[in-house]
């Protein structure tokens, strides 16, 4: 099977033309006319994941985050990109095109949380109305502690950092990964709560000042959910191709917790 056929299918799920103008999603290593046999899925292309691909004979890696998001002036011998090229491993990234896609990561977040579907976008970026995040309105309001517990389970989050508005929450916004501008836009859209992957300290202060429940559930954790979903879709479409989720696809961070007396 050639890469171009797979690329065309991915384009139907999450059109590459809809990616953010600052992004670098697409076929980053390899050529559309090349053949491949085995696909490895991951969130980030790390040295450990490239080693796994080499050891197990995978010749194509599909990740969410692009290995090269900005122009590169040097490739060192210890860089994952160097290892990909040296071992003839192809690389496709489905990044912001999947973030904004219908059925993409924001919709997966709602599904994992057990919330209804929504077509209300927080940050539109394309002419077709697609953009970052979704907003839903619950029939039965929840409180912050309940929403935090839902996030722990939905995203298998190691740490939840949050601002509690102490109010009942009906209108809830969600977006994966980094969510700087989305916080204020969610508030302006009337959200009582906003769930995201990560935000800076000043956004937490903003939420506290303006009475917005803000839940930071982890960049890795809110986006890693794409792997299992894409695995199912690819296996259904390409039954003759071996496809696996990387066993090295883990949160690279360790966490230390203060013990309260």
């Amino acid at each position: 099977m050639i890469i171009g056929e797979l690329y065309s299918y991915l384009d139907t799920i999450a059109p590459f033309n809809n990616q953010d103008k600052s992004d670098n999603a697409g076929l980053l290593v390899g050529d559309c006319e090349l053949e491949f046999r085995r696909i490895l899925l991951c969130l980030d292309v790390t040295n450990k994941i490239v080693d796994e691909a080499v050891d197990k004979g995978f010749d194509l890696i599909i990740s969410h985050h692009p290995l090269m998001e900005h122009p590169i002036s040097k490739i060192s011998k210890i860089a994952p990109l160097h290892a990909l090229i040296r071992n003839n491993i192809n690389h496709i990234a489905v990044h912001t095109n999947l973030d904004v896609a219908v059925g993409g990561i924001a919709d997966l977040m709602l599904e994992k949380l057990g919330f209804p579907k929504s077509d209300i976008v927080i940050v539109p970026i394309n002419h077709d109305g697609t953009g970052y995040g979704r907003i839903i309105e619950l029939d039965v309001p929840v409180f912050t502690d309940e929403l935090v517990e839902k996030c722990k389970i939905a995203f298998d989050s190691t740490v939840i950092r949050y601002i509690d508005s102490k109010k009942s929450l009906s209108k809830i916004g969600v977006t994966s990964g980094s969510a700087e501008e989305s916080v204020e836009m969610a508030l302006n859209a009337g959200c009582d709560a906003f769930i995201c992957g990560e935000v800076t300290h000043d956004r937490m202060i903003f939420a506290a000042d303006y009475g917005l429940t803000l839940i930071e559930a982890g960049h890795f954790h809110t986006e890693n959910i794409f792997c299992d979903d894409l695995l199912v879709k690819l296996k259904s479409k390409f039954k003759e191709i071996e496809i696996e989720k990387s066993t090295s696809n883990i949160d690279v961070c360790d966490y230390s917790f203060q013990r309260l007396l």
Side-chain angles (χ1 to χ4, degrees):
M1 181 174 171
I2 62 170
I3 291 175
E5 185 178 350
L6 171 67
Y7 185 90
S8 295
Y9 173 69
L10 293 172
D11 195 49
T12 65
I13 297 174
F16 289 100
N17 285 339
N18 278 351
Q19 66 180 284
D20 201 301
K21 61 183 179 181
S22 64
D23 196 16
N24 190 35
L27 176 59
L28 305 185
V29 178
D31 296 287
C32 280
E33 67 272 16
L34 291 176
E35 293 185 352
F36 73 95
R37 297 176 298 109
R38 306 182 73 202
I39 301 172
L40 191 64
L41 300 178
C42 61
L43 187 70
D44 300 278
V45 182
T46 65
N47 279 319
K48 287 184 178 180
I49 284 175
V50 177
D51 288 343
E52 180 183 347
V54 173
D55 292 342
K56 296 179 179 179
F58 289 95
D59 49 6
L60 173 61
I61 294 176
I62 300 178
S63 69
H64 182 52
H65 294 136
L67 186 52
M68 310 94 77
E69 194 164 357
H70 306 289
I72 294 175
S73 57
K74 177 183 178 181
I75 303 175
S76 70
K77 288 185 177 181
I78 63 171
L81 178 57
H82 187 280
L84 285 180
I85 296 171
R86 187 176 68 247
N87 291 283
N88 296 313
I89 299 173
N90 307 284
H91 168 41
I92 296 175
V94 283
H95 190 211
T96 55
N97 57 310
L98 185 64
D99 287 336
V100 304
V102 175
I105 295 187
D107 291 323
L108 288 176
M109 289 179 71
L110 291 178
E111 181 182 323
K112 290 284 187 181
L113 288 163
F115 290 156
K117 294 180 179 180
S118 171
D119 58 2
I120 303 174
V121 173
I122 296 175
V123 186
I125 66 168
N126 296 312
H127 294 302
D128 63 359
T130 55
Y132 296 112
R134 296 286 187 272
I135 296 174
I136 57 104
E137 192 144 8
L138 301 177
D139 294 330
V140 180
V142 297
F143 286 91
T144 301
D145 56 351
E146 183 180 348
L147 200 53
V148 167
E149 291 303 315
K150 281 182 175 290
C151 288
K152 287 180 182 178
I153 296 169
F155 312 125
D156 194 23
S157 296
T158 307
V159 172
I160 299 285
R161 191 168 69 119
Y162 63 96
I163 297 295
D164 186 354
S165 66
K166 309 296 184 182
K167 298 183 294 188
S168 63
L169 313 171
S170 296
K171 199 169 186 178
I172 299 170
V174 303
T175 198
S176 63
S178 298
E180 297 308 303
E181 64 175 320
S182 301
V183 176
E184 188 166 352
M185 294 187 77
L187 179 70
N188 291 339
C191 289
D192 305 310
F194 183 54
I195 301 167
C196 63
E198 66 173 320
V199 289
T200 52
H201 179 68
D202 70 291
R203 296 295 83 193
M204 287 290 185
I205 297 298
F206 174 86
D209 283 340
Y210 284 86
L212 175 69
T213 286
L214 178 57
I215 298 175
E216 183 189 72
H219 195 132
F220 174 88
H221 300 85
T222 56
E223 293 190 332
N224 190 49
I225 57 177
F226 106 97
C227 286
D228 289 333
D229 181 71
L230 187 57
L231 181 66
V232 170
K233 289 175 179 174
L234 290 177
K235 282 191 171 184
S236 176
K237 177 67 176 180
F238 303 107
K239 296 180 173 61
E240 72 280 14
I241 299 296
E242 186 172 351
I243 309 163
E244 292 183 15
K245 178 179 174 181
S246 169
T247 57
S248 304
N249 182 61
I250 59 172
D251 185 359
V252 299
C253 298
D254 292 320
Y255 300 90
S256 177
F257 303 92
Q258 180 180 9
R259 178 172 296 177
L260 300 177
L261 299 178

